[in-house]
Amino acid sequence: MYEYFEIAYALANESLCLFLGTGFSKQITDGKAPSWLELLQHCCDELGNPDPLKKKLFPGGENELPLEECAQIIELQLNKEGKDLRKIITNIISNLEVDDALSKEIKEFFNKHDHLKIITTSYDTLIERFLAPGKCNSYCPGKPIPKRKKGINVYHIHGSIDSPNDMIVTASDYYNFINSPSYFRNKIYNLIQEYTTVIIGYSLTDPNLKPIFNYYSTHNLSSLNRSSLFYVTKNSVPLHIKDHYEYCYSIRVLEKVGINRFIQRVEHQYKDAEEKIERRQEILKRILDKKGKKKYKDDFLKSRHSFFHIISAAEAIGENVKSGRMKKLIADILQRKIKFTSKSGAWDQYDHLAEWLVYLGSVMDLKGTLLEKAYLKGVYHSMTTMSRERYLGYCWEAYQTWRFHWESLTRGNRAMIKEYVERECPTPNALRIVNEGKLAF
């Protein structure tokens, strides 16, 4: 659950951005909001004789061409009949209503945390409708940029029904958006660089947004937590797809979790993440500036969430991993955590250590860094003291942590650990983890 703590910490630090797609609109309208494909099919229906074009563009109800190209073709055909594609889209979307029962938890979350930043590709203004008056600033192409700082900022990067003529709909619109500098294109870059960003209700199929995520990935390597992009989906995601998202876009996947469940998990971690947040950042600064002469207290490091507080505080204050001092601090913390496990009755420390190692291995590649040796030492200790069965002297909880979170490690770290385990500690339990992951029953 460390990913949710990280997101909750960003929320408490007022540095969380939600990237919302059509799936979010579907959720809060009880499925009545059309998908991009469904919307274009509805637009086709406005033609005098829609069936021939629909059969060519959407054989079997699916699209063969990219949807923005389908939109371009539909617009050309509508223009021949004197009809406006954007006005038709506006008429369809304007009739959507928020389902109060289904959106209650989401409304409460948004109104409670009124410092959120929201990016959306949807044309609807449903978010603005269910936020309390005065708690929302709406940004979209074609409208003046709000100057008010207070409240949630909602960025309609593809435009909204408030300014139909400026909506990005067709292929030519998308080409202009991605290739021409603009406030909204640059805003996406800035927000995902400066904020922990969670993608919800979005399929990641938009070819014009993928370059933005890739740009983030290749230009964010100096960050300690080089993956502050999360993709939330209610579906199961195959490992090779997760690896693809991580390699090309530095996106971490939170699978099999719906929007409401995601909010519940973040709120569950929020109170602990919020605790003494500014003081913890100041303490980290002092420890780093003292160059090892000042250390964290044992009681703090013995707590489960202390490591996540430290890593999140480093990210919040902009600590650069290339300086080396953060890596030295982490190496010392891992060594101390290993020592804590040697104390009588310290079984919780074994599980904490496993969680910390998995977390660290999910947010940065460790091979060839100053941390590699200390990290692998921790892996050795954890994997040689865990057990699939409940044997005296071995930690069952640590085994479960590795088992359920093995796939969350970066592709490079999984390969490094697998090679290390097979060479240095080829115990049956360790081999099950590196060869089978969460299937290791």
Side-chain angles (χ1 to χ4, degrees):
M1 299 291 284
Y2 51 80
E3 301 98 337
Y4 295 98
F5 179 88
E6 183 180 337
I7 294 167
Y9 190 98
L11 181 64
N13 199 47
E14 299 188 5
S15 58
L16 181 63
C17 176
L18 302 181
F19 198 129
L20 305 178
T22 307
F24 179 82
S25 296
K26 278 189 172 293
Q27 168 74 14
I28 62 176
T29 60
D30 193 19
K32 294 181 177 62
S35 67
W36 185 213
L37 172 61
E38 291 166 342
L39 183 61
L40 292 180
Q41 290 173 326
H42 292 325
C43 291
C44 253
D45 290 334
E46 296 299 315
L47 290 166
N49 183 18
D51 291 341
L53 184 60
K54 287 181 74 172
K55 288 179 181 178
K56 291 177 181 178
L57 292 181
F58 312 113
E62 300 295 333
N63 57 298
E64 292 184 346
L65 288 173
L67 288 174
E68 67 271 15
E69 295 185 18
C70 293
Q72 189 79 68
I73 294 169
I74 294 169
E75 181 179 54
L76 293 173
Q77 297 304 309
L78 286 168
N79 287 346
K80 291 178 181 179
E81 299 182 9
K83 298 175 181 177
D84 189 316
L85 174 64
R86 287 162 183 77
K87 287 184 178 179
I88 293 170
I89 290 174
T90 300
N91 290 336
I92 294 170
I93 291 178
S94 295
N95 293 321
L96 295 174
E97 295 291 340
V98 174
D99 186 297
D100 291 331
L102 290 175
S103 62
K104 180 181 178 182
E105 194 166 22
I106 299 171
K107 284 183 184 180
E108 292 175 351
F109 180 78
F110 280 15
N111 283 296
K112 175 182 176 182
H113 306 290
D114 58 1
H115 46 72
L116 284 167
K117 299 292 185 290
I118 297 175
I119 302 171
T120 178
T121 54
S122 298
Y123 305 127
D124 63 65
T125 55
L126 296 171
I127 297 171
E128 287 89 338
R129 278 190 238 169
F130 71 48
L131 284 171
K135 283 201 171 186
C136 178
N137 304 308
S138 185
Y139 298 73
C140 79
K143 290 185 63 180
I145 303 297
K147 301 298 190 291
R148 193 168 66 103
K149 292 185 179 295
K150 186 178 180 180
I152 291 177
N153 290 345
V154 182
Y155 299 93
H156 292 271
I157 58 172
H158 288 170
S160 85
I161 56 175
D162 283 346
S163 185
N165 290 336
D166 297 286
M167 292 192 305
I168 296 168
V169 181
T170 66
S172 59
D173 295 334
Y174 279 94
Y175 296 149
N176 289 333
F177 173 78
I178 203 66
N179 293 315
S180 302
S182 69
Y183 172 83
F184 288 93
R185 194 197 71 166
N186 293 336
K187 195 66 182 181
I188 302 173
Y189 283 120
N190 292 337
L191 286 172
I192 64 176
Q193 286 283 349
E194 297 171 6
Y195 288 74
T196 294
T197 302
V198 181
I199 304 162
I200 302 174
Y202 192 65
S203 67
L204 292 182
T205 57
D206 190 328
N208 301 289
L209 291 176
K210 287 181 179 180
I212 294 173
F213 295 139
N214 179 258
Y215 180 90
Y216 162 81
S217 176
T218 55
H219 289 76
N220 198 44
L221 297 180
S222 64
S223 170
L224 174 64
N225 179 1
R226 60 180 290 267
S227 180
S228 292
L229 275 173
F230 294 88
Y231 175 49
V232 173
T233 174
K234 61 183 179 182
N235 301 317
S236 178
V237 180
L239 181 56
H240 67 278
I241 298 296
K242 292 179 187 175
D243 286 344
H244 167 61
Y245 285 167
E246 182 251 319
Y247 181 77
C248 288
Y249 313 117
S250 286
I251 290 175
R252 282 185 275 167
V253 176
L254 301 179
E255 61 181 334
K256 293 187 284 189
V257 56
I259 296 171
N260 288 79
R261 185 60 176 153
F262 167 79
I263 287 174
Q264 291 166 9
R265 289 180 176 179
V266 172
E267 285 285 24
H268 180 70
Q269 300 285 343
Y270 182 75
K271 184 177 180 180
D272 185 54
E274 186 184 32
E275 183 184 5
K276 302 178 182 177
I277 190 168
E278 292 183 2
R279 175 168 169 74
R280 296 203 191 285
Q281 293 172 14
E282 186 59 37
I283 290 173
L284 175 61
K285 288 180 185 177
R286 293 206 302 267
I287 288 175
L288 292 173
D289 289 342
K290 292 295 183 179
K291 299 179 180 180
K293 295 179 181 179
K294 183 176 178 63
K295 295 180 180 291
Y296 284 105
K297 294 180 180 179
D298 285 356
D299 285 346
F300 175 64
L301 292 183
K302 286 179 180 178
S303 67
R304 181 182 298 275
H305 284 148
S306 58
F307 190 66
F308 310 137
H309 271 291
I310 293 166
I311 299 299
S312 297
E315 187 75 355
I317 65 175
E319 178 60 33
N320 192 331
V321 70
K322 291 183 178 180
S323 67
R325 62 182 189 169
M326 194 67 201
K327 289 181 177 178
K328 291 179 181 178
L329 173 63
I330 293 172
D332 177 68
I333 289 172
L334 291 179
Q335 181 59 37
R336 290 172 66 186
K337 196 67 170 180
I338 291 172
K339 289 182 179 179
F340 294 156
T341 64
S342 65
K343 305 296 182 180
S344 177
W347 293 114
D348 60 333
Q349 298 301 308
Y350 287 93
D351 189 31
H352 295 181
L353 176 63
E355 283 192 1
W356 293 10
L357 292 168
V358 169
Y359 173 65
L360 190 58
S362 72
V363 299
M364 65 178 293
D365 287 318
L366 294 151
K367 191 173 180 62
T369 72
L370 294 173
L371 268 177
E372 180 183 356
K373 184 177 180 180
Y375 183 79
L376 290 177
K377 183 177 180 181
V379 168
Y380 180 91
H381 183 77
S382 181
M383 290 206 172
T384 55
T385 55
M386 68 180 185
S387 175
R388 182 177 63 166
E389 290 79 23
R390 295 177 184 269
Y391 290 140
L392 183 62
Y394 292 87
C395 186
W396 179 82
E397 288 83 1
Y399 179 87
Q400 297 303 315
T401 294
W402 280 108
R403 172 195 162 197
F404 282 110
H405 296 285
W406 173 251
E407 289 187 2
S408 68
L409 297 169
T410 69
R411 183 175 53 91
N413 286 333
R414 288 200 308 271
M416 178 186 72
I417 294 172
K418 185 175 187 297
E419 178 185 357
Y420 178 78
V421 164
E422 291 175 345
R423 184 181 70 249
E424 299 294 336
C425 53
T427 65
N429 287 307
L431 289 173
R432 285 192 192 99
I433 294 296
V434 301
N435 288 311
E436 302 173 52
K438 66 181 180 182
L439 300 178
F441 292 99

